[in-house]
Amino acid sequence: MADSRNLYEQVILDHNKNPRNYGKPAAADTIIDGLNPLCGDSFKIYVAFQNDVIECLHFEGDGCALSKASASLMTVLLEGKTREAALELEEALAAMLKSSPDTPVDESILGPLAAFSGVREYPTRIKCVMVAWQALAAAFSNRR
Ligand code: ZN
């Protein structure tokens, strides 16, 4: 466990320090606000669609390391995905975070999001991991 924990920390530190798809893109179909007042996480999420597929997903804003790393990973994982697939991954992430800390994590579904499994021991931080995802999911659900 110690080894995977270290690896997970590296993923979070890396995406916090060098967030991917960061900044306002040239064009966006939808701009979504993601806010977590409990921690002060505040992001804007820019989405451009090609039919039902997320063609471009960017974000910018400020937040703690967890929220920023999670938003960064979200943009990487969801580009090229359908709204439906995005909602499924958001649900899988939320379900993992709500599971008890010793429940095995299905990396075949979550991929690098497994890095957040340690957050299960700090339930008050779950919202930090979910803030960008919940904002996106709420916006997509309205469009269905
Ligand atoms: Zn936070």
Side-chain angles (χ1 to χ4, degrees), residues 7-141:
L7 183 74
Y8 287 167
E9 277 171 20
Q10 292 302 321
V11 171
I12 294 169
L13 291 174
D14 173 41
H15 277 265
N16 176 52
K17 215 172 169 188
N18 305 298
R20 317 301 199 273
N21 300 311
Y22 190 85
K24 192 177 177 179
D29 297 318
T30 310
I31 301 172
I32 302 159
D33 288 309
L35 298 172
N36 174 21
L38 288 176
C39 181
D41 310 317
S42 172
F43 298 102
K44 280 202 186 307
I45 301 154
Y46 302 94
V47 195
F49 293 101
Q50 176 78 273
N51 299 317
D52 195 43
V53 173
I54 300 168
E55 191 183 40
C56 177
L57 187 58
H58 279 231
F59 82 106
E60 64 181 359
D62 283 310
C64 64
L66 283 174
S67 65
K68 204 166 195 177
S70 185
S72 173
L73 277 162
M74 179 181 83
T75 66
V76 172
L77 292 169
L78 297 187
E79 267 186 355
K81 297 275 195 327
T82 62
R83 285 190 184 88
E84 204 63 49
L87 289 168
E88 279 171 18
L89 194 54
E90 187 267 343
E91 279 165 25
L93 177 61
M96 182 274 280
L97 290 168
K98 278 182 219 145
S99 67
S100 75
D102 51 2
T103 309
V105 174
D106 190 346
E107 289 199 39
S108 69
I109 295 170
L110 291 168
L113 297 174
F116 296 107
S117 55
V119 177
R120 295 180 294 182
E121 290 172 47
Y122 308 94
T124 57
R125 305 300 303 280
I126 289 174
K127 178 72 183 175
C128 296
V129 180
M130 292 305 299
V131 57
W133 292 84
Q134 283 174 346
L136 198 76
F140 285 6
S141 301

